[in-house]
């Protein structure tokens, strides 16, 4: 939860810890059928999208989050041509997926049309026109319903949802049942990735998500990256049917990025990939001690 109080925003990091940061300008405040939506300009972070009081992404540091979410899975797949994104209202996840010239179609399914409208209007630095790419198709629907109703399969599925401890609308998309549905919609060598909130402040919820992925996928990789505007590391979990992201060398990752025409990255690289796969997951108490 956060409150806009005077010129500051109180962003809750956990139920007991807050970050207080300065608001320069409130650009939009409203409510959709599903959630409270705020767009503000923050002194330390630039433009910010805030849903139900939780910062989703900000202009100055979104690339840590979006590049870390998208590229490890995209690089691990040998030839990602069809990609499904569930969530990702800002259009920045779509932007990262479309960097690959191998991608022929990128379908983005978000439940909230209003978030996309607001993003198109206020968050250009984030989507950078990705919604207009001819390979992109946007569908407004609950992500779970979308998969239940379709028989299409994808090489990569990216789950860019609100946190598992956030709004109700995304909770059912972190369950074992849902990951089974995702598995069914992946090609034989398909790979999925989900953002998973934070393992330090919400360890129980994180473990629940991790176990759910492990019940469904034979290959599971966890990694986390520091996101300043979240004031914590954001965790990600990959579930893969055939290929393991942890065995790729920095040289191999860089080679794949080059071959696939991926340029303009600010955080992710071969070295960053190896670092992500080898950085311990942040925990309040390390297991086994
Ligand atoms: N970076 C983010 C964070 O920190 O939580 C996630 C960003 S993205 C804005 C989250 C998107 O997930 C929102 O646009 C929201 O509308 C969408 N969403 C939530 N539940 C959904 C569902 N059941 N189906 C499809 N989209 C959903």
């Amino acid at each position: 939860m956060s409150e806009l109080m005077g010129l500051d925003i109180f962003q809750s990091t956990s139920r007991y810890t807050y970050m207080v940061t300065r608001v320069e300008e409130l650009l939009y405040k409203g409510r959709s059928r599903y959630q409270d939506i705020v767009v503000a300009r923050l002194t330390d972070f630039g433009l910010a999208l805030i849903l139900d009081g939780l910062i989703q992404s900000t202009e100055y540091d979104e690339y840590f989050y979006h590049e870390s979410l998208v590229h490890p899975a995209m690089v691990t797949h040998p030839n990602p041509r069809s990609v499904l994104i569930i969530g990702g209202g800002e259009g920045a996840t779509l932007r990262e997926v479309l960097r690959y010239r191998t991608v022929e179609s990128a379908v983005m399914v978000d439940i909230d049309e209003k978030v996309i409208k607001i993003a198109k209007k206020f968050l250009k630095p984030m989507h950078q026109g990705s919604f207009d790419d001819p390979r992109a198709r946007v569908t407004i629907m609950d992500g779970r319903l979308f998969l239940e109703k379709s028989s299409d399969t994808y090489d990569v599925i990216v789950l860019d949802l609100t946190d598992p401890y956030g709004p109700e609308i995304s909770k059912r998309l972190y369950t074992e049942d849902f990951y089974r549905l995702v598995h069914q919609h992946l090609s034989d060598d398909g790979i999925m990735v989900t953002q998973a909130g934070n393992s330090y402040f919400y360890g129980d919820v994180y473990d629940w998500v991790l176990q759910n992925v492990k019940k469904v996928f034979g290959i599971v990789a966890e990694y986390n990256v520091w996101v300043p505007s979240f004031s914590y590391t954001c965790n990600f979990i990959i579930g893969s049917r055939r290929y393991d992201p942890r065995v790729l060398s920095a040289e191999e990752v860089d080679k794949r990025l080059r071959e696939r025409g991926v340029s303009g990255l600010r955080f992710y690289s071969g070295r960053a990939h190896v670092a992500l796969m080898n950085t311990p997951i942040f925990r309040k108490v390390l297991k086994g001690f």
Side-chain angles (χ1 to χ4, degrees):
M1 216 183 82
S2 75
E3 285 168 47
L4 289 162
M5 289 190 36
L7 280 178
D8 290 331
I9 188 171
F10 284 68
Q11 152 84 11
S12 87
T13 303
S14 78
R15 277 199 295 168
Y16 313 107
T17 306
Y18 286 81
M19 175 182 74
V20 183
T21 193
R22 182 59 48 93
V23 177
E24 298 261 312
E25 195 184 357
L26 179 60
L27 296 164
Y28 176 84
K29 192 172 192 297
R31 187 167 169 83
S32 72
R33 215 176 124 192
Y34 303 103
Q35 50 210 341
D36 290 325
I37 305 173
V38 167
V39 177
R41 195 183 305 282
L42 309 177
T43 309
D44 271 341
F45 301 110
L47 287 168
L49 174 68
I50 303 163
L51 297 180
D52 278 353
L54 288 170
I55 291 181
Q56 301 294 303
S57 52
T58 76
E59 186 181 358
Y60 297 167
D61 68 354
E62 56 84 10
Y63 64 98
F64 292 117
Y65 172 88
H66 290 110
E67 292 186 17
S68 300
L69 170 67
V70 168
H71 297 295
M74 289 293 286
V75 157
T76 301
H77 192 279
N79 185 24
R81 283 177 299 168
S82 56
V83 179
L84 172 67
I85 298 161
I86 301 184
E90 309 93 329
T93 295
L94 185 61
R95 176 196 79 207
E96 291 306 317
V97 164
L98 292 169
R99 287 191 198 278
Y100 290 73
R101 62 171 166 237
T102 56
V103 171
E104 292 162 7
S105 104
V107 178
M108 174 179 149
V109 180
D110 197 294
I111 198 168
D112 199 336
E113 189 167 21
K114 199 158 185 180
V115 173
I116 294 175
K117 267 197 185 146
I118 300 291
K120 282 183 178 169
K121 181 162 179 197
F122 294 104
L123 303 176
K124 236 184 204 136
M126 296 202 201
H127 61 77
Q128 293 176 17
S130 59
F131 293 115
D132 301 324
D133 189 294
R135 297 170 294 164
R137 181 161 64 83
V138 176
T139 299
I140 305 300
M141 199 193 270
D142 170 55
R144 185 175 180 127
L145 200 63
F146 176 85
L147 286 182
E148 282 168 356
K149 287 188 169 238
S150 134
S151 55
D152 292 345
T153 56
Y154 304 89
D155 296 321
V156 178
I157 298 182
V158 182
L159 304 172
D160 184 13
L161 297 157
T162 37
D163 292 325
Y165 36 79
E168 281 304 315
I169 47 168
S170 62
K171 288 209 174 99
R172 276 168 18 107
L173 284 72
Y174 289 96
T175 59
E176 179 188 343
D177 277 4
F178 180 67
Y179 294 130
R180 289 203 187 284
L181 201 54
V182 168
H183 190 276
Q184 282 164 24
H185 286 79
L186 284 171
S187 47
D188 290 346
D189 55 2
I191 181 161
M192 78 109 204
V193 61
T194 185
Q195 79 103 346
N198 175 257
S199 58
Y200 182 89
F201 292 107
Y202 296 93
D204 290 353
V205 182
Y206 175 76
D207 281 337
W208 172 72
V209 175
L210 179 64
Q211 289 319 314
N212 290 340
V213 177
K214 283 188 171 168
K215 283 177 196 158
V216 176
F217 287 91
I219 299 168
V220 176
E222 314 168 68
Y223 57 102
N224 49 191
V225 73
W226 173 250
V227 180
S229 60
F230 293 175
S231 70
Y232 57 43
T233 51
C234 183
N235 289 74
F236 303 93
I237 303 171
I238 281 180
S240 178
R241 294 190 66 163
R242 190 178 302 167
Y243 297 104
D244 191 334
R246 292 165 298 194
V247 304
L248 294 178
S249 67
E251 293 71 29
E252 179 60 23
V253 169
D254 285 333
K255 182 169 153 273
R256 291 185 187 192
L257 289 172
R258 265 196 316 277
E259 284 169 357
R260 299 171 190 190
V262 179
S263 63
L265 299 183
R266 290 179 283 175
F267 171 72
Y268 184 78
S269 64
R271 282 165 57 149
H273 180 98
V274 172
L276 285 174
M277 294 300 144
N278 288 283
T279 304
I281 300 302
F282 286 82
R283 293 277 185 180
K284 271 187 192 156
V285 178
L286 284 177
K287 282 185 179 160
F289 282 80

